[in-house]
Amino acid sequence: MDTQLGGSSSQQPNVASSLQQPTRSNNPLQVPFQQQSQLGNVQQPLPSQLGSVQQPSQQGSLQQSSQLGSLQQPGLTTNVLQGSLQQPSQLGSFQPTHQLGALQQHSLTNRFSPSSMQQLIKGDRSMITLSDDNVMVKQVLGTHAPDGREVDIRPLLYIVEDILNRTTLNPEGLMIAGTQAQVEYLEDKTHQANFLVLLDALSYTIDRISCEIQYKAFGGSDAHQTTLSIFHLVSSFAWDAKLVLALAAFALNYGEFWLLAQIYSTNQLARAMAFLRQVPGIIEHAGLLKPRFDALNDLIRAILEVTRSVVEFKELPSTYITQEVPALSSALAQIPTAIYWTIRSIVACAAQISSFTSLGYDRFVVSTTEAWELSTLTHKLRTIRDHLKKQLEICNQYIEEKRDVEAFQMLVSLFEMVHIDNMKPLRAIIYPRDDLQPLVDGYSKKRVNIDVLRRKNVLLLISSLDISQEELSILEQIYNESRVQSTRLESQYELVWIPLVDRSVPWTDPMQKRFESLQSSMPWYTVYHPSLIGKAVVRFIKEKWHFRNKPILVVLDPQGRVVSPNAIHMMWIWGSNAFPFTSAREEVLWRDETWRLELLVDGIDPTILNWIKDGKYIFLYGGDDTDWVRKFTNTARAVALAADVPLESAYVGKGSKREQVRRVLATIAVEKLGHSWQDLAMMWFFWTRLESMLFSKIQQGKADDHVDPMMQEIKKLLSYDRDGSWAVLCKGSSVVVNGHGNSILPTLVEFDKWKENVRLQGFDVAFKNHHELLRGETYPCCRFEFSHFAGRIPEGMRCPECNRNMEKYTTYLCCHDEGNTPNMILYN
């Protein structure tokens, strides 16, 4: 045929309008793209545009597609629906084997010809290789004319996400279900009503975009121009709304296609429609089309990810972040470009689906070109997504810090206010919202609301997951004893465990198991999970209540006032007798206390309490030197026999070095050297109570009270424990001598020098006088080392031996006792 497209010749309507490739003259943004020949796509080795043959000698010459079957000439049949076989007779010209009712150039089949289907994707190649997006950005910004209306686009995005998730075909040919959040949103009646209102306002725009995308995809229009036309349709909307509306329009068409795929086998109407769109063939040959489906699915996922990021930027609260923040300003500057390429990718996806439904699967099985096109767009969107996510992460961190500061200040103010009851302070610390029950009842193991603590004295046990079993067992014993007689004043309090964890460390299964194990062993109330405790609360507890790593017990009265910043020391020393655990009660207890043996061993060893009742002489001693223990006990026994006095001894171990203590215990048991505490928990409690006495005084600001001899004796005993051995001699309840092993043992060894004084002065006075003589010759060095995890640390200390100011040092220490790090390490 010699048909020409001249001024007097009859024009075929669709050859120039629908089949012509966009050239640089009609698309100033297009850059030529060269492609290697592929099976089923014959390419002219001429400097003409890809896929067309131009006759240079004649203006308006007929353009012939180089793709198989793309040239349409009058009188030839190109009806792919009839399955006519076309054989190429020359480059770009094909003759049919037979004709079954010739179709005109403007027929339905011609509109879905391969060249028109590839037109849109080929346009993408030129834009993807464009090095500078400035022209495109100016064109996009030129369409932006918002009318000021605010649209909550999140509900529409939920619907779109649900559609696209359920229409994504995996390699096995199965659909992916929507997320739980999307399912719950769709099933919520309130959300459904709100969405219907939103849809009434947006449905017209969505339909227009949907028609635009479908029409341009079938017609083979330039992708850039199609994208700009969509921008014109949504010119009055905000940036995030533009993108979600375009995505909703695509989801409308895409969802309809896959809805037919899902129900055509069981619904006769859907079956007829599915055959019109060639759905059964596509599904049947999904395996062969896998590269295309994979590329399409990857691009759709990238589109969704970028869309979510854009919407999240819109939802950032302006109260906490403004455009002066560099991360936000940088992201907002990139939003128009990100939205352009996302809508451009939506257009490419629509063209791909149109090619499936119009040409059938067999046209593209042998070619991966189109998959490459989609993959290129996917790569570009993922680059955009990564940039936006990075900036979004910085913005969210900035907002979180702002909110934490605000929440911290609110907590500070809250605990300075007067309240009717304790509900507001407790909710602020434990969990401020009402959407779940934040506590677990230790008795029933059921979840309960914070209301169970209303108008009660509440003790907040604050600790990490490293709280020791000894601490828990002793605390449980004290707690259970207070519950025996619930009508007693001492039992009118509730205990709540507040677990604090390091948020920077990922939560692991071992941590979860450790938490569950601790929670199940506690008979009091516990917080349901550590994640309920906010960052601002953790900061408040550390800064205002001086929590480091060791457990503290903060006491709130029925009105929510802090009556003791840490009553753990009162609890260890006096148990429930310290109720209501206020600082005032602590002062009263200390005022009534004296330096006596019961203070050291009360509630630990009933055997010693019986010795006290019998008025016996008692040596309480400790250390980790086996030879010293052996020599001390044997010498003390011999001296008692010689002096004819009833003397008992009890080994109470050491504040650390458990393995050495175990060896000493074994020696005492084998050689029958006397009474000892075989239970290490008893030793732990002894030393913990002793440390608590010092910390209690520090908390009251009386650690260096020189007129308090009891405090000086406690400090001596703690310092003796660190280096070497020590012993305390008591007569009944009264403490006679508190001395270091370097002076106690020589006093016993030199018994012959003072034995005559025993008959005149008594054993206790004679021993004390000779010990003072030996002690005056040399004073052991005293050292107090406070762990940074111990809470409040005094600014300075005075030596209990010479009363001079002690020097400060920084020391690193490991006692190799797992789970037994002392609050305070003291050595000579």
Side-chain angles (χ1 to χ4, degrees), residues 103-349:
L103 298 179
Q104 298 299 320
Q105 288 273 34
H106 57 276
S107 67
L108 179 65
T109 304
N110 181 54
R111 289 185 60 213
F112 295 159
S113 64
S115 62
S116 65
M117 288 300 99
Q118 301 309 305
Q119 190 96 352
L120 195 54
I121 295 178
K122 288 178 181 178
D124 275 339
R125 296 178 190 166
S126 61
M127 284 304 299
I128 292 170
T129 58
L130 194 61
S131 60
D132 190 358
D133 285 344
N134 289 336
V135 176
M136 174 270 293
V137 172
K138 289 181 180 178
Q139 290 179 313
V140 171
L141 292 176
T143 68
H144 187 53
D147 56 11
R149 71 178 123 174
E150 289 293 331
V151 179
D152 181 11
I153 214 69
R154 175 62 73 174
L156 181 59
L157 179 59
Y158 273 135
I159 303 298
V160 171
E161 285 181 305
D162 191 63
I163 292 172
L164 295 181
N165 282 331
R166 295 177 185 277
T167 55
T168 301
L169 193 69
N170 63 22
E172 289 74 28
L174 302 175
M175 304 299 171
I176 300 175
T179 65
Q180 183 63 29
Q182 294 158 0
V183 172
E184 291 176 355
Y185 184 91
L186 291 173
E187 293 178 352
D188 189 286
K189 299 297 183 182
T190 304
H191 289 161
Q192 289 178 9
N194 294 337
F195 178 71
L196 290 176
V197 174
L198 177 66
L199 196 59
D200 285 341
L202 300 178
S203 58
Y204 174 72
T205 303
I206 294 173
D207 286 339
R208 287 191 64 191
I209 300 172
S210 176
C211 293
E212 182 76 9
I213 292 176
Q214 249 183 331
Y215 173 74
K216 295 295 177 64
F218 286 146
S221 297
D222 175 67
H224 173 66
Q225 296 301 327
T226 302
T227 304
L228 286 181
S229 69
I230 295 174
F231 272 104
H232 281 291
L233 291 175
V234 293
S235 61
S236 62
F237 291 92
W239 289 109
D240 63 317
K242 294 179 194 288
L243 181 53
V244 177
L245 287 170
L247 188 56
F250 169 73
L252 192 63
N253 295 330
Y254 193 55
E256 179 185 352
F257 175 82
W258 286 113
L259 179 62
L260 293 176
Q262 293 183 29
I263 68 172
Y264 80 93
S265 61
T266 58
N267 186 290
Q268 190 59 40
L269 176 59
R271 182 178 180 84
M273 294 178 65
F275 273 112
L276 282 179
R277 303 193 68 172
Q278 300 193 29
V279 172
I282 294 173
I283 299 300
E284 181 181 353
H285 296 85
L288 296 175
L289 289 170
K290 184 178 183 301
R292 301 283 296 281
F293 278 125
D294 289 345
L296 186 63
N297 292 340
D298 289 344
L299 183 54
I300 291 175
R301 279 190 287 268
I303 289 170
L304 279 173
E305 289 170 349
V306 174
T307 304
R308 292 189 194 103
S309 296
V310 170
V311 173
E312 287 175 12
F313 271 108
K314 178 61 180 298
E315 293 174 343
L316 292 178
S318 58
T319 306
Y320 300 101
I321 191 169
T322 62
Q323 294 189 28
E324 282 72 25
V325 177
L328 181 57
S329 61
S330 172
L332 293 180
Q334 297 297 320
I335 289 294
T337 304
I339 294 177
Y340 170 84
W341 283 110
T342 308
I343 295 180
R344 179 74 173 264
S345 299
I346 290 171
V347 172
C349 290

Side-chain angles (χ1 to χ4, degrees), residues 351-501:
Q352 191 77 186
I353 297 302
S354 298
S355 69
F356 285 154
T357 58
S358 61
L359 292 177
Y361 68 90
D362 56 320
R363 294 283 187 180
F364 300 96
V365 169
V366 294
S367 174
T368 59
T369 303
E370 288 69 33
W372 177 87
E373 302 286 355
L374 298 182
S375 298
T376 305
L377 283 170
T378 301
H379 175 74
K380 189 172 189 70
L381 286 193
R382 285 174 177 170
T383 302
I384 293 172
R385 172 205 64 189
D386 292 342
H387 173 73
L388 291 180
K389 280 187 174 293
K390 181 179 179 181
Q391 301 306 311
L392 188 62
E393 182 179 349
I394 297 173
C395 290
N396 284 327
Q397 183 177 355
Y398 179 88
I399 293 170
E400 185 177 5
E401 291 173 357
K402 286 281 189 179
R403 282 176 167 164
D404 288 343
V405 170
E406 182 182 69
F408 176 79
Q409 294 300 331
M410 289 179 61
L411 279 170
V412 173
S413 301
L414 186 66
F415 278 91
E416 292 174 349
M417 298 168 59
V418 178
H419 304 281
I420 298 176
D421 57 28
N422 55 7
M423 284 294 95
K424 282 187 177 180
L426 286 175
R427 290 183 190 279
I429 292 294
I430 298 173
Y431 188 70
R433 298 195 293 272
D434 296 324
D435 55 342
L436 55 81
Q437 295 175 310
L439 296 179
V440 175
D441 188 326
Y443 177 75
S444 65
K445 304 304 178 186
K446 294 180 179 180
R447 295 180 65 172
V448 295
N449 287 315
I450 299 179
D451 292 338
V452 297
L453 305 175
R454 187 184 298 274
R455 294 190 179 90
K456 292 184 179 180
N457 293 282
V458 178
L459 278 60
L460 301 177
L461 174 61
I462 303 171
S463 79
S464 67
L465 300 185
D466 295 328
I467 185 171
S468 69
Q469 191 59 46
E470 290 89 350
E471 289 169 315
L472 285 178
S473 60
I474 298 298
L475 194 58
E476 181 179 354
Q477 179 181 342
I478 296 172
Y479 178 81
N480 289 335
E481 287 176 356
S482 71
R483 304 290 112 170
V484 173
Q485 296 182 0
S486 58
T487 58
R488 292 177 54 192
L489 182 64
E490 292 82 358
S491 66
Q492 303 303 309
Y493 67 88
E494 295 293 346
L495 197 60
V496 181
W497 181 41
I498 309 292
L500 298 188
V501 296

Side-chain angles (χ1 to χ4, degrees), residues 1-2 41-45 53 55 62 64-71 73 76 86-96:
M1 291 287 181
D2 295 329
N41 185 13
V42 183
Q43 181 177 346
Q44 284 267 25
V53 180
Q55 304 295 336
L62 176 65
Q64 299 178 342
S65 174
S66 63
Q67 288 187 329
L68 183 61
S70 63
L71 177 63
Q73 298 185 8
L76 295 181
Q86 302 173 358
Q87 300 288 347
S89 60
Q90 57 181 2
L91 186 61
S93 177
F94 304 92
Q95 301 295 330

Side-chain angles (χ1 to χ4, degrees), residues 672-716:
K672 299 180 180 179
L673 298 179
H675 182 66
S676 62
W677 294 347
Q678 295 294 323
D679 187 356
L680 295 182
M682 296 171 66
M683 292 185 182
W684 173 87
F685 191 38
F686 174 83
W687 291 106
T688 297
R689 290 182 75 250
L690 203 59
E691 290 177 358
S692 294
M693 294 174 194
L694 177 60
F695 279 108
S696 176
K697 287 291 186 178
I698 291 174
Q699 191 165 278
Q700 288 187 318
K702 298 179 180 180
D704 283 329
D705 190 349
H706 309 306
V707 299
D708 185 358
M710 178 169 52
M711 197 67 254
Q712 301 307 312
E713 294 302 319
I714 292 172
K715 289 164 67 176
K716 284 181 186 179

